[in-house]
Amino acid sequence: MRWFFFVLLSLLFMFSPLQQGLYFDSDLYMVHIFIYVLSFLLLLRVLYDQDFTTWNDLMFILIIPICYLISLIQAKHPEGAFNMVFRWTTYISFFYLLYWSINKHPKIRQLAPYIYYATGVLIAFHMLLNQFGLLNDPGAFIKDRFAGVFQYPNTFGMVMVAFYMFGLVMLLNKKQNGRGIFFYAFPLTAFIVAFLESYSRGMYLIFPVVWLIGVCCFSFHHQLRYILYSMITMLSGMLVYILLQKGNMFLTGISSVVLSLLSFLVIWWIYQLDLNVGLKKFHRGILPVIVIFFGVLFGFDLANQGLIYKQLPANLQERMASISDSSTARERVLIVEDAMEASLDAPLIGQGGKHGNLSIVIINNCLIKLRKYIMNISK
């Protein structure tokens, strides 16, 4: 039965992003029903076996949907609040099902990372096929920015970074064979291209921080591999990005495949080297300090539009330059402040899900009425 659940969850995980259901609540209802049915079947199985280990291990995460349920008492947006309850019970039920399937089953546990990574590859290549004109998804582009299946560039850029980091970490596993190295190394170039084309200013800032945290988590020889793999794939991704700006889709497509293969071959060659020899005497804090030093220099160069900044493509220069004076960034700060104020108004019960959307509608209606009132007075 574990295989039954795992196969169904894998198919759902891989193909549901291709629908709008992950972005629009009304299209997610069938996913809710599907997950709830599977959860009910799992509950029957658990009651039959009298094995409550999985539920005890993950009981703490139930606090999230419980908080949304409590907020229904005074929800400002009842429909939005119920949708958030449905979403979080679905997310957690999915996680329970997956955990139960993987727990105590080594073969499924070994297969799960491949399914996860394959989903990211599917999302990235779906976007690139749209760019090359082989697919026609009108929601994949938002003002010439890569938005992918999410129809939102910032989310798309964040997801590409998440899968890129996952691929890098998996390549550090000493037990990878040639096929495993190819599987994880080949798509890294595509992830970088998709991330750059999302033009997500927030992720341009967050990605280096996340990557630096990754450096600090490993021993010295793993740090060295991590940095080398990153340099190779970022360089190949940047080259494909530059070619993409030229507008020749055929040349870019061929080049992207060739550069992805070259990056895989170089990573595979590095993988064969025994970098452990003579490296144990180096402290794991050396490389993070060096990276931070050069990172600060790079940041000053970008902030002052220096030598490295001037070598970047024009589109990337404009996006980098607009980070500090972005009006959307200031608007998001205001949203956070409003959210904190709303939380303080109802610290225990809350206002319910999507109440912010209702507040925006009310404000817009008030502004429209105020505008009409002023126009009438002016007449």
Side-chain angles (χ1 to χ4, degrees):
M1 196 169 181
R2 294 180 191 272
W3 276 108
F4 171 75
F5 281 129
F6 181 72
V7 170
L8 291 180
L9 292 174
S10 298
L11 292 174
L12 178 67
F13 186 75
M14 292 185 69
F15 296 107
S16 60
L18 300 178
Q19 301 177 347
Q20 291 184 332
L22 296 182
Y23 195 76
F24 300 99
D25 287 309
S26 59
D27 295 328
L28 194 60
Y29 292 148
M30 291 305 298
V31 177
H32 294 323
I33 295 172
F34 180 75
I35 293 296
Y36 293 159
V37 170
L38 291 182
S39 300
F40 180 72
L41 293 176
L42 176 59
L43 180 60
L44 293 178
R45 175 61 185 270
V46 169
L47 291 174
Y48 178 79
D49 293 339
Q50 294 294 308
D51 182 10
F52 299 98
T53 304
T54 303
W55 304 93
N56 294 333
D57 291 345
L58 304 176
M59 189 67 70
F60 68 95
I61 63 175
L62 290 175
I63 188 65
I64 302 176
I66 289 174
C67 288
Y68 278 109
L69 281 171
I70 295 174
S71 70
L72 292 175
I73 298 173
Q74 60 175 31
K76 302 297 184 182
H77 190 309
E79 181 184 354
F82 274 108
N83 283 332
M84 293 304 294
V85 171
F86 293 150
R87 274 183 175 268
W88 278 100
T89 50
T90 298
Y91 296 154
I92 291 173
S93 297
F94 181 94
F95 190 73
Y96 265 103
L97 289 163
L98 184 62
Y99 183 79
W100 184 85
S101 302
I102 293 176
N103 193 32
K104 301 178 183 179
H105 203 302
K107 290 185 177 179
I108 296 180
R109 191 179 304 162
Q110 292 173 2
L111 183 60
Y114 292 99
I115 299 297
Y116 174 78
Y117 197 65
T119 303
V121 174
L122 180 63
I123 293 172
F125 278 75
H126 173 271
M127 184 65 246
L128 292 175
L129 290 175
N130 276 279
Q131 174 65 28
F132 294 139
L134 300 176
L135 290 178
N136 184 23
D137 183 356
F141 298 91
I142 303 295
K143 296 182 179 179
D144 296 328
R145 295 169 61 187
F146 280 16
V149 296
F150 308 107
Q151 302 183 25
Y152 193 68
N154 293 334
T155 301
F156 180 74
M158 178 191 66
V159 171
M160 291 297 96
V161 166
F163 282 111
Y164 175 80
M165 294 296 297
F166 182 82
L168 276 182
V169 172
M170 293 304 292
L171 284 171
L172 300 180
N173 187 352
K174 297 178 181 180
K175 298 180 181 180
Q176 295 289 359
N177 54 25
R179 287 176 296 180
I181 296 173
F182 176 81
F183 179 75
Y184 287 113
F186 185 84
L188 293 180
T189 298
F191 289 142
I192 290 295
V193 175
F195 160 65
L196 292 174
E197 284 286 351
S198 71
Y199 292 108
S200 174
R201 289 172 293 208
M203 288 312 302
Y204 285 174
L205 293 174
I206 294 173
F207 177 40
V209 176
V210 174
W211 183 87
L212 179 60
I213 293 173
V215 175
C216 299
C217 291
F218 304 113
S219 60
F220 186 86
H221 72 278
H222 278 112
Q223 289 176 344
L224 190 58
R225 289 182 184 273
Y226 180 85
I227 293 172
L228 289 175
Y229 296 163
S230 300
M231 291 173 59
I232 294 164
T233 52
M234 287 181 187
L235 177 61
S236 62
M238 180 60 74
L239 290 174
V240 175
Y241 170 81
I242 293 172
L243 289 172
L244 200 57
Q245 308 309 304
K246 305 296 182 183
N248 190 330
M249 293 297 106
F250 178 77
L251 176 62
T252 304
I254 297 297
S255 301
S256 62
V257 174
V258 172
L259 288 169
S260 297
L261 284 172
L262 285 174
S263 63
F264 153 69
L265 290 173
V266 176
I267 289 174
W268 180 79
W269 176 72
I270 295 174
Y271 196 87
Q272 309 305 313
L273 300 177
D274 188 6
L275 297 182
N276 267 327
V277 179
L279 295 181
K280 291 184 178 180
K281 61 183 179 181
F282 292 100
H283 192 271
R284 61 186 298 175
I286 295 175
L287 285 178
V289 171
I290 295 174
V291 169
I292 291 173
F293 174 75
F294 282 103
V296 170
L297 292 180
F298 180 68
F300 276 120
D301 183 272
L302 294 180
N304 296 285
Q305 301 184 4
L307 180 62
I308 299 177
Y309 174 87
K310 293 177 180 177
Q311 309 308 313
L312 298 175
N315 291 345
L316 207 54
Q317 287 184 10
E318 294 175 5
R319 203 65 185 168
M320 292 287 187
S322 65
I323 289 178
S324 59
D325 59 350
S326 172
S327 60
T328 56
R330 291 192 293 271
E331 290 170 1
R332 289 186 175 96
V333 172
L334 294 175
I335 291 174
V336 172
E337 292 176 353
D338 292 341
M340 292 298 296
E341 184 177 349
S343 299
L344 292 174
D345 291 340
L348 297 178
I349 299 178
Q351 305 282 0
K354 300 295 183 71
H355 76 277
N357 294 0
L358 181 63
S359 300
I360 292 172
V361 172
I362 294 173
I363 292 171
N364 286 337
N365 290 337
C366 291
L367 291 175
I368 292 172
K369 291 179 180 179
L370 180 61
R371 180 172 176 271
K372 289 181 179 179
Y373 177 74
I374 293 174
M375 291 178 66
N376 290 334
I377 292 178
S378 63
K379 290 179 180 179

